[in-house]
Amino acid sequence: MRLPDLIGFARGAAAGNPLRTALLILAMAIGVAAVVVLTALGDGARRYVVGEFSSLGTNLVIVLPGRSQTGGFNPGNAITNTPRDLTVDDAQALLRASAVRRLAPLAVGTSEISVGGKLREVMVAGTTAEFIDVRRLELAQGRFLAAGDWRRGANEVVIGAKVREELFAATPALGQLVRVGDRRFRVVGVMAATGQGLGMNTDELVIIPVSLAQAMFNSNTLFRILVEAHSRESIEPAKTQVTDIIKQRHEGEEDVTVITQDAVLATFDKLLGALTLAVAGIAAISLAVAGILVMNVMLVSVTQRTAEIGLLKALGATAATIRTAFIVEAAMLSMTGALIGYLLGEGGAALLRQLYPTFPAYPPDWAILAGLGTALVTGILFGVLPARQAARLDPVLALGRR
Amino acid sequence: MAALIELSGIERVFQLGDSAVHALTHLNLTVDAGEYVAVMGPSGSGKSTLLNLLGLLDHPNAGSYRLEGRDVTTLSPEEQARVRSQRIGFVFQSFHLVPRLTAAENIALPMTLAGIPPDERQRRVTRALADYGLANRASHRPNELSGGQRQRVAIARATIMQPAMILADEPTGNLDRATGEDVMRLLEELNGQGVTLIIVTHDLVLGARARRQLHMEDGSLRRDERTCASPT
Ligand SMILES: Nc1ncnc2c1ncn2[C@@H]1O[C@H](COP(=O)(O)OP(=O)(O)OP(=O)(O)O)[C@@H](O)[C@H]1O
Ligand SMILES: [Mg+2]
């Protein structure tokens, strides 16, 4: 039998029993659509997190006081012992490292900000002019902190978008004097709104020179030193150089933790990648179930079409022809179902992206290939048994005795 | 000239639980090419079993079957399928058309299965439709055809591969007398063109039209009669 004839024959057989055909196509479609949508969700989550981390600033190396045994990110260890202060001088010393492009010290605490009788609690960040570049932040108005001696900052403040909104509403904020703690500062800039996200949220932050912040909180230690390496390749050298310099300055004790954004990112990437894979696996089970359904329905179809099979044999069809015809039919139904499922899945993913514009819910290529492939393979595989059953039928019995 | 069909010592036993049904016992038969044979006998005498055997749809438990000088009982299933495709045409009592296929497609089915190219199929089907008076029924499905038209489609299908013999199991059994007469005439015309015709029938009148009558009883041949001229 020629291939176009085989396909035509299989199509005719499929169309001859619309309910059975619709059921099979639906089962396959649901399986494939599940794979596509679920992997789009999983991979979307991975991309979202990776994207958010990237927006924290590229090539970032973070120094925090306290030692962590594993060298990985471990908030538990970071808190337990702070033996030696991480100072502004330490930060300045790090500028000697060849792999370091720029860096910003960061001290944080809470205080109150007031202007014209309005008062609210705020998070205060003490840092330097480099901060805005290291963290890739945007200004809405004015300028950021002025560059200059880190140990002597001017009484300037840059306020977050929400702080501005609450304290100034419609009136201009730039140039106004505000009180933060017991000092007066002039507002020189307003940060752009960042909103919720994994990136740094500056909306409720006020930023002042690091020296003034340390004086305000009466502490010498920094919360973090944010170091930017020259390139992706120099992240590791930067990490060792930074560790060495601090060790030297701290009498040979390695009492800081240096983490790279890359390490955190890789962990998340791996974690969410595994999650996507697991989700794809679960969806693939529904495909296998669809395959078993294909087998059963095809087996029933063989019984229903016994007379036809017997007739085909009487008309000269070989067992191989009958087998191929049934496999082609199973493959065709699976493929149609898989394609419809793929379109449904892409539609679902597009709908997700429409509903949550920030969420990149694109199914990964491997998942699409795996989904379509599994559908086709299970369809054919589970089509083989019924096809063999059909080919084995005894033509006399098949023709019926009446 | 070698005989078309040579059966010798054919046994066909159906095992039904503990009891064995001897559908054919020690059957010897020779049919020459171009003969017109009617197989008659009471129900259960083994007529259909014999026809299925001749058509390679069934296998004897013992004995040999030579078709055109070749022993066909030992052929592989694939080779037997080829013999069915090239040399044998079947006509059944209940037509056995594929309901979802049109008349033209049903007629073309043996050629489709044999892998004959579409244009050649088209050519032969068009001729067959005209020959059997079905030209304006080509795209009708079997349920849109009368019994006589259905059997004509079945006969067109049986002859489309130009077989050496046509095996018909009660071809008029589901038709009224006039339509049955029509169908018989078509089959006899084919026989007139040299095709060997073997018909199973209960109808003594129809059986008498054949030049040779085989009377079966309990799985064996009782009488083998030849009449010299056909009444029409
Ligand atoms: N597949 C089978 N299994 C068991 N017994 C069978 C089978 N086929 C035929 N027989 C038996 O073999 C005998 C001959 O059957 P066959 O169909 O050849 O009769 P027949 O002459 O065609 O009868 P009818 O005129 O009623 O069609 C019967 O007794 C029947 O019951
Ligand atoms: Mg019978």
Side-chain angles (χ1 to χ4, degrees), chain B residues 85-198:
Chain B
S85 165
Q86 309 287 334
R87 310 305 293 154
I88 303 170
F90 288 96
V91 178
F92 305 95
Q93 177 178 352
S94 47
F95 322 128
H96 279 303
L97 301 179
V98 181
R100 64 168 184 279
L101 299 182
T102 64
E105 287 166 341
N106 265 294
I107 294 172
L109 195 51
M111 295 192 286
T112 312
L113 291 169
I116 290 174
D119 42 352
E120 168 73 4
R121 293 201 306 249
Q122 183 60 47
R123 212 174 50 72
R124 285 207 229 170
V125 167
T126 311
R127 254 248 312 275
L129 284 167
D131 286 354
Y132 292 95
L134 294 162
N136 53 358
R137 293 282 180 277
S139 53
H140 286 53
R141 283 173 216 288
N143 63 353
E144 300 158 352
L145 297 173
S146 73
Q149 287 168 334
R150 287 184 212 181
Q151 199 59 303
R152 273 185 287 168
V153 170
I155 293 172
R157 181 180 66 188
T159 55
I160 202 79
M161 292 293 286
Q162 290 149 359
M165 63 169 160
I166 290 190
L167 306 174
D169 196 343
E170 303 188 36
T172 61
N174 281 2
L175 303 173
D176 61 53
R177 184 152 281 281
T179 326
E181 182 68 31
D182 252 18
V183 165
M184 285 307 289
R185 220 185 42 251
L186 282 176
L187 290 170
E188 283 162 6
E189 267 169 31
L190 287 168
N191 176 244
Q193 289 157 24
V195 181
T196 309
L197 179 62
I198 302 180

Side-chain angles (χ1 to χ4, degrees), chain A residues 120-366:
Chain A
R120 66 160 286 174
E121 185 131 320
V122 282
M123 177 89 108
V124 178
T127 186
T128 62
E130 289 81 3
F131 183 75
I132 190 164
D133 295 320
V134 173
R135 293 306 296 262
R136 311 272 140 129
L137 296 169
E138 301 278 339
L139 276 170
Q141 305 170 19
R143 60 170 173 84
F144 199 66
L145 301 177
D149 189 346
W150 289 4
R151 257 159 267 126
R152 238 192 310 276
N155 283 349
E156 305 176 330
V157 64
V158 177
I159 59 177
K162 194 165 175 203
V163 176
R164 187 207 66 77
E165 168 87 43
E166 287 182 11
L167 293 184
F168 296 100
T171 61
L174 286 188
Q176 298 298 312
L177 283 176
V178 296
R179 179 172 288 278
V180 179
D182 52 2
R183 283 168 190 265
R184 292 165 73 78
F185 291 83
R186 187 168 299 279
V187 177
V188 295
V190 179
M191 301 304 296
T194 52
Q196 291 299 319
L198 279 176
M200 188 167 199
N201 183 356
T202 60
D203 292 354
E204 297 189 61
L205 206 62
V206 302
I207 301 168
I208 60 174
V210 64
S211 53
L212 298 183
Q214 287 189 319
M216 188 182 294
F217 303 129
N218 195 18
S219 141
N220 265 335
T221 193
L222 293 172
F223 174 65
R224 295 280 189 275
I225 302 173
L226 309 173
V227 179
E228 187 185 338
H230 279 293
S231 64
R232 203 176 171 78
E233 289 70 45
S234 55
I235 289 178
E236 274 310 304
K239 192 177 167 183
T240 32
Q241 288 169 5
V242 162
T243 314
D244 285 349
I245 292 172
I246 299 279
K247 198 165 158 185
Q248 248 173 39
R249 293 180 53 85
H250 289 190
E251 287 121 33
E253 258 206 78
E254 202 181 312
D255 57 0
V256 291
T257 303
V258 181
I259 59 173
T260 60
Q261 186 199 330
D262 251 23
V264 182
L265 200 59
T267 311
F268 266 103
D269 198 6
K270 243 189 276 174
L271 199 76
L272 291 167
L275 193 75
T276 308
L277 216 60
V279 158
I282 292 167
I285 292 174
S286 76
L287 268 182
V289 171
I292 292 169
L293 193 69
V294 168
M295 177 168 76
N296 278 299
V297 174
M298 289 299 284
L299 277 174
V300 171
S301 162
V302 169
T303 333
Q304 282 172 346
R305 281 153 69 187
T306 309
E308 178 187 322
I309 294 162
L311 173 71
L312 293 180
K313 285 197 160 182
L315 296 182
T318 60
T321 302
I322 306 263
R323 205 160 43 230
T324 325
F326 269 80
I327 290 179
V328 164
E329 188 180 336
M332 236 170 60
L333 292 178
S334 311
M335 204 144 54
T336 312
L339 275 176
I340 291 176
Y342 168 67
L343 293 179
L344 280 179
E346 284 286 10
L351 190 71
L352 276 176
R353 295 196 296 269
Q354 195 85 61
L355 292 177
Y356 310 99
T358 53
F359 192 75
Y362 293 95
D365 290 344
W366 63 261

Side-chain angles (χ1 to χ4, degrees), chain A residues 45-126:
Chain A
R46 189 186 63 80
R47 279 191 230 202
Y48 178 74
V49 168
V50 169
E52 285 293 323
F53 263 86
S54 303
S55 73
L56 293 183
T58 46
N59 308 331
L60 205 58
V61 176
I62 301 165
V63 185
L64 44 149
R67 171 110 165 249
S68 147
Q69 236 68 36
T70 56
F73 179 69
N74 189 335
N77 276 355
I79 295 165
T80 44
N81 54 338
T82 30
R84 211 174 258 96
D85 288 348
L86 190 61
T87 63
V88 173
D89 289 339
D90 286 333
Q92 209 134 35
L94 294 183
L95 282 171
R96 289 206 318 262
S98 59
V100 171
R101 182 172 172 210
R102 55 191 166 201
L103 58 84
L106 181 64
V108 295
T110 52
S111 186
E112 284 167 346
I113 181 168
S114 61
V115 61
K118 285 183 210 151
L119 179 132
R120 66 160 286 174
E121 185 131 320
V122 282
M123 177 89 108
V124 178

Side-chain angles (χ1 to χ4, degrees), chain A residues 401, chain B residues 47-49 169-170 200:
Chain A
R401 313 242 339 117
Chain B
K47 305 183 295 293
S48 296
T49 307
D169 196 343
E170 303 188 36
V200 169

